[in-house]
Amino acid sequence: MSKTAFVSTSIPYVNARPHIGFAFEIVQADTIARYLRLTGHDTFFITGTDENSLKNVRAARDEGITTRELCDRNSTAFQGLLGPLNISASDFIRTSSDVHVRGAQALWSRCRPEDIYRKHYTGLYCVGCEDFYTEKEAPNRICPSHGAALEIVEEENYFFRLSAYQDRLLELIESGRLRVVPVSRQNEMLAFIRGGLQDFSISRSRERAGDWGIHVPGDGSQVIYVWYDALANYVTSLDLRDGSERLNKYWLNCTRKIHVIGKDINRFHSIYWPAILLSAGLPTPETVFVHGFITINGQKISKSLGNVIDPLVQVERFGVDPVRYYLLRAISPFEDGDFSEERFRDVYNADLANNLGNLARRIETIGEKAHYAPPVWTTVLDAPEGYHAAMAEYRLNDALATLWDIATELNGRIEVAKPWELQKAGKDAALREFLDLAVSDLRCIAHWLSPFLPDTGDTLKEAFGNKELRRGDPLFPRLT
Ligand SMILES: [Zn+2]
């Protein structure tokens, strides 16, 4: 394989346990990574945890444990999602790990010296966001996302000269060399850049950071701002040292570099991050894919509402592929989408149990009665019309729909052809012809479904492989 690709999720804070919103992102990224592999890309897929946050220091203090203990425990909970959700990650990066600490410092040192400067600073700071707000952005000095009072913070910090990158960032996005998907999110970024870019603080006093975080190279009084540090994970996961094989292969000489993120952190990924990379003389990403948020029964996910859905519980109850299917098909890849138990059951029964599951069962049953052995499967069947086009635009739900169109059509053909009557009438050639086509359709579904529902893809490949058809267990037993 000569083509390479890089796919990442954002790295969540570990101050709470993973909820369905992060499962959504990691399943989307996994599907993209698996699709790239299926289409011949040697793909590096990275996820991990963001641990150098003051929030973790505070959460640990509240629990009476050390920050390290809190990070270890909660990072383990995030890693624990990978198996049950069938995530094909190449590695898992923790920002408290040595390789990351070393890499984040190296990235800082690689930035052009004139892009990093010290400045005395007074600002309105939200601990929850770990970000500064202007008076205009935060009326009455209340955080617009947390509704909490902002702290006035005065200190000397290092700043990054983002203002020097305004034109290059505009050019990067306008030329399509950096794509922000969907285009509405790209337009937001273009408008923000055109509005004028301000330099931003990239360090905090070590004291205010609770003495937790990565030291600024050559200045022990400051730690690297958690956002700069977190963004660095994408390259530190590849080992940011000269001669690193991973870095060469999956970043320096790789055109398909895709970050999968939520809409609240687009600015960091589509503006700050490319600017840092330009300053460090490193290539910029190819695509920032921005998803919306999941609501639960129409409400924002929140601990206080008690509506946090644990993805592991869902997988335990329904199996991994039904959960992946719902996240990938029933929720728009770009807009906010809702998770409700009722809708989950409706989608499961309609699409999985009644359509694809029932279809596989029917063809197996007819085939078994006829002692039918399918033709040897030698070539990969072309994807249905529209599948690759949808994937190129990250319309994951539409790509899935093209496979379900085949299933629906084949279910209809069974009603018309009535293969059981062909069998009774002894019309063997016609029955065989019908089954050949049906198996070919199911093989096509199996192959192109595998990035989305890997287990189901494997089961179908096995069931409609080269041996006599056999009626197996139902793929998706109906939920009552
Ligand atoms: Zn806030």
Side-chain angles (χ1 to χ4, degrees):
M1 280 195 276
S2 58
K3 295 186 286 183
T4 59
F6 173 95
V7 179
S8 67
T9 67
S10 64
I11 49 172
Y13 284 133
V14 293
N15 64 333
R17 295 182 61 81
H19 61 58
I20 196 87
F22 185 64
F24 178 48
E25 177 169 310
I26 200 170
V27 164
Q28 285 184 322
D30 181 63
T31 300
I32 293 164
R34 286 177 184 272
Y35 170 75
L36 287 165
R37 291 189 190 112
L38 192 66
T39 52
H41 297 77
D42 175 348
T43 302
F44 185 82
F45 169 29
I46 187 71
T47 185
T49 42
D50 181 2
E51 306 183 11
N52 299 320
S53 156
L54 184 55
K55 275 190 248 186
N56 294 333
V57 178
R58 296 190 174 187
R61 200 182 293 152
D62 290 347
E63 288 194 44
I65 56 175
T66 66
T67 313
R68 167 66 57 192
E69 283 167 340
L70 177 105
C71 288
D72 286 350
R73 186 193 67 198
N74 288 358
S75 180
T76 303
F78 277 91
Q79 286 183 58
L81 280 182
L82 304 185
L85 286 171
N86 205 353
I87 301 301
S88 62
S90 312
D91 205 347
F92 188 93
I93 180 94
R94 296 184 56 184
T95 61
S96 64
S97 65
D98 290 343
V99 68
H100 177 78
V101 170
R102 208 170 50 226
Q105 290 174 329
L107 183 67
W108 178 293
S109 300
R110 277 180 84 131
C111 283
R112 297 191 318 158
E114 57 270 42
D115 286 341
I116 294 181
Y117 62 93
R118 266 187 98 118
K119 189 175 114 176
H120 188 80
Y121 187 75
T122 307
L124 294 171
Y125 186 77
C126 172
V127 179
C129 300
E130 306 216 25
D131 204 1
F132 286 99
Y133 286 94
T134 61
E135 298 272 2
K136 203 174 117 196
E137 288 167 330
N140 304 319
R141 300 186 170 180
I142 299 291
C143 170
S145 17
H146 290 91
L150 299 174
E151 296 171 18
I152 298 172
V153 164
E154 196 175 328
E155 64 184 43
E156 190 148 304
N157 289 156
Y158 288 94
F159 274 70
F160 179 80
R161 206 176 295 282
L162 183 66
S163 55
Y165 290 90
Q166 176 144 347
D167 292 343
R168 290 180 72 185
L169 289 170
L170 263 187
E171 199 272 329
L172 194 63
I173 298 178
E174 281 174 339
S175 68
R177 281 190 294 127
L178 170 60
R179 257 174 98 198
V180 185
V181 178
V183 74
S184 57
R185 299 284 172 215
Q186 176 155 309
N187 291 336
E188 285 173 6
M189 293 302 107
L190 287 171
F192 185 79
I193 299 170
R194 291 192 186 109
L197 295 178
Q198 311 284 323
D199 296 349
F200 67 101
S201 159
I202 52 170
S203 74
R204 298 287 180 261
S205 82
R206 186 171 154 190
E207 192 191 340
R208 196 157 56 74
D211 198 17
W212 179 252
I214 301 175
H215 292 177
V216 167
D219 185 346
S221 73
Q222 299 268 314
V223 297
I224 300 178
Y225 173 43
V226 70
W227 261 110
Y228 183 102
D229 154 9
L231 289 166
N233 96 83
Y234 302 126
V235 288
T236 66
S237 67
L238 298 169
D239 191 353
L240 194 62
R241 273 186 293 198
D242 286 336
S244 155
E245 197 187 314
R246 271 184 171 182
L247 186 73
N248 278 328
K249 194 169 174 186
Y250 300 111
W251 198 272
L252 302 182
N253 298 302
C254 168
T255 48
R256 303 226 58 189
K257 297 191 287 284
I258 302 156
H259 297 309
V260 178
I261 59 159
K263 62 180 183 179
D264 55 331
I265 55 175
N266 191 10
R267 204 181 286 178
F268 290 98
H269 285 80
S270 299
I271 297 175
Y272 295 9
W273 175 231
I276 291 168
L277 288 166
L278 288 170
S279 180
L282 291 166
T284 49
E286 177 221 26
T287 299
V288 176
F289 164 59
V290 187
H291 64 75
F293 287 156
I294 294 190
T295 54
I296 305 291
N297 299 311
Q299 284 182 307
K300 201 177 154 181
I301 300 175
S302 107
K303 254 192 214 165
S304 54
L305 288 171
N307 66 353
V308 176
I309 290 195
D310 183 341
L312 296 181
V313 173
Q314 295 299 309
V315 168
E316 186 104 329
R317 288 175 67 197
F318 303 110
V320 57
D321 279 357
V323 173
R324 288 177 65 114
Y325 184 79
Y326 187 91
L327 294 173
L328 295 165
R329 178 78 193 274
I331 294 182
S332 155
F334 311 122
E335 305 299 322
D336 291 350
D338 194 51
F339 187 99
S340 77
E341 181 96 15
E342 195 190 346
R343 184 147 174 262
F344 182 92
R345 286 171 177 277
D346 287 349
V347 169
Y348 177 106
N349 281 334
D351 293 4
L352 297 177
N354 295 351
N355 194 341
L356 182 63
N358 189 37
L359 172 66
R361 202 62 183 303
R362 289 171 92 184
I363 299 299
E364 283 168 358
T365 307
I366 299 159
E368 185 176 277
K369 277 190 192 150
H371 299 289
Y372 166 82
V376 175
W377 189 357
T378 48
T379 52
V380 170
L381 294 144
D382 286 342
E385 175 100 27
Y387 176 93
H388 292 303
M391 289 306 287
E393 293 172 2
Y394 300 91
R395 289 181 284 110
L396 308 179
N397 52 346
D398 290 342
L400 265 177
T402 66
L403 303 176
W404 257 258
D405 287 347
I406 300 178
T408 304
E409 206 261 339
L410 179 52
N411 268 316
R413 238 157 57 217
I414 297 175
E415 297 308 319
V416 176
K418 298 190 171 62
W420 51 90
E421 288 183 7
L422 295 176
Q423 195 187 359
K424 264 187 219 150
K427 293 182 176 165
D428 290 350
L431 179 63
R432 189 163 183 94
E433 192 184 344
F434 173 84
L435 284 169
D436 283 354
L437 278 173
V439 166
S440 168
D441 279 353
L442 283 158
R443 287 173 176 179
C444 175
I445 292 173
H447 184 79
W448 298 107
L449 182 61
S450 60
F452 298 84
L453 312 183
D455 288 349
T456 305
D458 285 348
T459 306
L460 290 173
K461 279 181 217 163
E462 172 74 20
F464 301 99
N466 294 328
K467 53 183 194 336
E468 219 173 82
L469 296 198
R470 256 216 137 66
R471 189 178 141 112
D473 294 329
L475 270 179
F476 303 103
R478 249 190 93 79
L479 297 176
T480 49

